[in-house]
Amino acid sequence: MMETIFEMFSYPFMVRAFTVGALVALCSALLGVSLVLKRYSMIGDGLSHVGFGALAIAASLNMAPLAAAIPVVIAAAVLLLRIKGSSRIKGDAAIALISTSSLAVGVMVISMTTGMNTDVYNYMFGSILAMSEEDVILSVVMAVIVLILFIFFYHKIFAITFDETFAQATGVKADLYNTLIAVLTAVTIVLGMRMMGALLISSLIIFPALTSMRVCRTFKSVTINSAVISVVCLAAGITVSYVWATPAGASVVMANIAALLIYSLIGLVRNKG
Amino acid sequence: MPLIKCEHVSIGYEGQTVVKDLNFTIEKGDYLCIVGENGSGKSTLVKSLLGLKNVEEGRITFGDGLRQNEIGYLPQQNDTQKDFPASVYEVVLSGRLNSRGFSPFYTAEDKKEAKEKMKLLGIQDLERQCFRDLSGGQKQRALLARALCATKSLLLLDEPVSGLDPIMTGEFYQLIRKINRDSGIAVVMVSHDIESAVEDATHILHLQETALFFGTTEDYRKSRIGRKFLGGVHDGNDL
């Protein structure tokens, strides 16, 4: 057991995968609590598809993938929030429109340039080998920013998540914080998607929050639990992926499903007791 | 100086005027009930009082130490809160945000204030309870405690008894009356329930795009419009 773990961490790519993965899991869990409670769960899914399209175009133009994808996904995040606020196209339909469009554009671009190859497969389902030195630095910087902002604005985030109208009435700039959450979510998704895969990254946002809500009954405990569950599931998933050579993204989601089932059971037993 | 003064206020959506040329004042300790049918502009007026919607014409001024973000607002019930994981204490404490400014954490005074308001409303035992497990009446008390945390001088209640059963409704009105009398906090209540409104309120604003009536409850009972809406049941001798 210990031997496997030591062996695992002797590979630099595994250390990178663990570092980036854990930080992305932490950030997405914190942001996820607010997103899930505000009924914005699907935004994560939409943004990851936009990210896929942007990465495909960046690759075909030989641009740095992150530098190209991050601004595009941030723009999409802000746009999606605006649409939810006021528009003739309803929020859920708008997200489906944008995500399928970006997926189609991405697939077209790839098939016209490099052809459908393992790159596409990796973008869709993720690869544990994908993390570079640059990604590690970027994810550390992002995690520090998300953590600081989250702690600093924790009570305001609670207020706008619980009751946006009341929060606005008492002088909290809800639009500003909503945009902030959207931007941070966008960056988190772009960082995580090459490891988790465009189709699976949104699970990191949704699962931990839903899992901890089965058992926890205060906002604070839901938040802390989500963060812990998310990081633990990520570590478990990546270890499984290393030991049995399963795809990283799917393994992490499996770990999250297991956690959700366990917490649901605990919740059930507790409610009966 | 009045707490709130509305002068020739017009409010609208995309060119359509919902409220026009509205004039009224709210003084310290008043209990004003805003009545009117659905679509008469009540909710729109509430949004403008809270600063969530700009007025098209005229102006709303705040005085006597009241700032716009210090209105203790009790919103209509909202759906997302049905399965929200938050303790009653967390909810009540969030009413203190407007006195925090940029500081990220609550002070000991904020926490003391939140506990006092919970005690005042008889929900101190529910402090650690999850908000979603509360009954309708308990939820309203928790949200009222939050509103009291946010204000020193004015409560704004938007249809506070809709969804409550008759007993809870009675208790809630009693609570509001007590707060209004004991602490001198002005109350502005938007309500369908015109019968109860005239029981407790000192002033009535009858809204139908503009003010059909604004004045004391006594005058409202005597007025033509008041008699019409009260169905002639109350003729002034009831007092």
Side-chain angles (χ1 to χ4, degrees):
Chain A
M1 178 67 190
M2 284 314 275
E3 231 167 78
T4 324
I5 291 174
F6 278 126
E7 184 197 297
M8 192 162 75
F9 282 110
S10 68
Y11 296 106
F13 79 89
M14 283 306 294
V15 177
R16 286 202 294 271
F18 259 102
T19 319
V20 176
L23 294 173
V24 166
L26 179 68
C27 296
S28 53
L30 292 178
L31 297 165
V33 173
S34 183
L35 290 174
V36 166
L37 286 168
K38 283 172 76 87
R39 310 280 189 271
Y40 282 145
S41 305
M42 286 310 289
I43 279 190
D45 204 48
L47 292 183
S48 61
H49 289 78
V50 173
F52 172 80
L55 282 185
I57 293 172
S60 72
L61 296 175
N62 278 327
M63 289 166 70
L66 287 183
I70 288 179
V72 174
V73 179
I74 287 179
V78 174
L79 182 72
L80 282 177
L81 273 186
R82 291 280 169 284
I83 287 175
K84 174 122 187 179
S86 63
S87 161
R88 302 224 164 115
I89 304 180
K90 288 276 168 265
D92 57 340
I95 292 175
L97 267 184
I98 292 180
S99 69
T100 46
S101 308
S102 335
L103 198 59
V105 169
V107 172
M108 286 297 272
V109 168
I110 291 173
S111 69
M112 278 157 59
T113 52
T114 54
M116 302 293 271
N117 54 21
T118 43
D119 280 354
V120 182
Y121 178 84
N122 285 343
Y123 283 161
M124 292 280 203
F125 300 106
S127 160
I128 205 166
L129 302 168
M131 297 295 108
S132 68
E133 206 53 55
E134 188 200 5
D135 295 327
V136 176
I137 296 169
L138 210 75
S139 58
V140 171
V141 170
M142 183 207 57
V144 169
I145 293 174
V146 171
L147 273 178
I148 290 177
L149 289 177
F150 201 88
I151 292 169
F152 203 79
F153 295 127
Y154 169 80
H155 293 294
K156 293 196 173 77
I157 290 174
F158 168 77
I160 60 165
T161 309
F162 181 72
D163 188 344
E164 192 163 321
T165 319
F166 180 86
Q168 276 178 313
T170 49
V172 177
K173 305 245 178 306
D175 284 345
L176 183 74
Y177 293 101
N178 282 334
T179 310
L180 183 71
I181 288 174
V183 168
L184 294 175
T185 309
V187 179
T188 309
I189 281 173
V190 175
L191 275 176
M193 67 178 281
R194 279 162 315 139
M195 189 162 94
M196 288 293 295
L199 297 181
L200 298 173
I201 178 74
S202 58
S203 63
L204 284 190
I205 291 183
I206 298 163
F207 268 100
L210 280 181
T211 302
S212 43
M213 275 163 65
R214 294 307 104 199
V215 172
C216 302
R217 309 165 77 78
T218 67
F219 191 74
K220 196 190 239 172
S221 62
V222 167
T223 308
I224 294 169
N225 248 283
S226 298
V228 174
I229 291 170
S230 186
V231 174
V232 168
C233 287
L234 186 113
I238 292 199
T239 310
V240 166
S241 154
Y242 173 80
V243 175
W244 285 288
T246 52
S251 312
V252 173
V253 177
M254 283 300 166
N256 272 299
I257 293 174
L260 179 64
L261 290 178
I262 293 169
Y263 268 67
S264 300
L265 259 178
I266 297 174
L268 265 181
V269 171
R270 226 200 229 180
N271 278 350
K272 283 210 175 133
Chain B
M1 196 178 180
L3 288 168
I4 298 181
K5 187 171 189 184
C6 278
E7 294 167 289
H8 306 290
V9 166
S10 291
I11 320 164
Y13 288 99
E14 287 162 13
Q16 224 177 357
T17 309
V18 183
V19 174
K20 67 173 187 222
D21 198 27
L22 184 62
N23 294 289
F24 68 93
T25 53
I26 300 162
E27 305 278 347
K28 190 172 187 299
D30 277 0
Y31 189 146
L32 172 72
C33 216
I34 304 177
V35 296
E37 286 158 37
N38 280 338
S40 58
K42 289 178 298 188
S43 320
T44 311
L45 176 61
V46 166
K47 280 193 186 140
S48 289
L49 288 177
L50 293 169
L52 305 179
K53 173 129 192 58
N54 291 330
V55 298
E56 280 173 351
E57 277 171 53
R59 58 185 191 147
I60 302 175
T61 40
F62 295 83
D64 210 0
L66 178 71
R67 292 213 311 248
Q68 192 164 38
N69 69 356
E70 290 170 354
I71 295 176
Y73 175 49
L74 180 68
Q76 290 189 37
Q77 298 271 355
N78 115 24
D79 269 353
T80 60
Q81 290 162 359
K82 281 204 180 113
D83 57 354
F84 201 100
S87 67
V88 171
Y89 180 60
E90 282 178 317
V91 172
V92 175
L93 193 57
S94 73
R96 295 289 298 174
L97 262 186
N98 59 357
S99 52
R100 284 294 95 242
F102 259 119
S103 154
F105 306 110
Y106 292 117
T107 60
E109 197 199 325
D110 293 326
K111 292 173 185 168
K112 197 176 126 227
E113 190 80 6
K115 298 211 169 174
E116 268 172 22
K117 301 302 181 212
M118 282 191 284
K119 203 167 170 196
L120 180 72
L121 298 186
I123 52 168
Q124 69 272 37
D125 295 339
L126 303 174
E127 187 182 323
R128 286 161 176 281
Q129 282 269 322
C130 188
F131 186 78
R132 66 183 165 199
D133 297 338
L134 303 182
S135 70
Q138 289 169 330
K139 273 187 187 152
Q140 284 303 72
R141 279 172 190 244
L143 294 180
L144 185 60
R146 177 181 70 166
L148 283 172
C149 278
T151 192
K152 289 186 197 70
S153 48
L154 184 105
L155 280 177
L156 177 55
L157 318 171
D158 196 351
E159 302 279 2
V161 297
S162 64
L164 297 188
D165 66 36
I167 294 174
M168 285 185 200
T169 302
E171 283 175 2
F172 192 84
Y173 282 137
Q174 207 180 350
L175 207 56
I176 298 295
R177 202 159 50 220
K178 185 165 169 277
I179 292 166
N180 176 244
R181 284 188 191 156
D182 294 356
S183 51
I185 290 178
V187 173
V188 177
M189 185 190 291
V190 173
S191 179
H192 269 78
D193 187 2
I194 203 161
E195 299 274 327
S196 309
V198 291
E199 296 280 316
D200 289 342
T202 59
H203 292 73
I204 301 283
L205 171 63
H206 193 126
L207 202 61
Q208 186 63 59
E209 205 172 316
T210 187
L212 290 184
F213 178 91
F214 171 68
T216 63
T217 311
E218 212 168 311
D219 289 343
Y220 183 67
R221 285 176 195 270
K222 290 177 194 155
S223 71
R224 209 161 61 85
I225 169 124
R227 284 210 304 268
K228 189 176 155 209
F229 274 87
L230 291 168
V233 179
H234 303 272
D235 56 8
N237 297 331
D238 284 8
L239 291 173

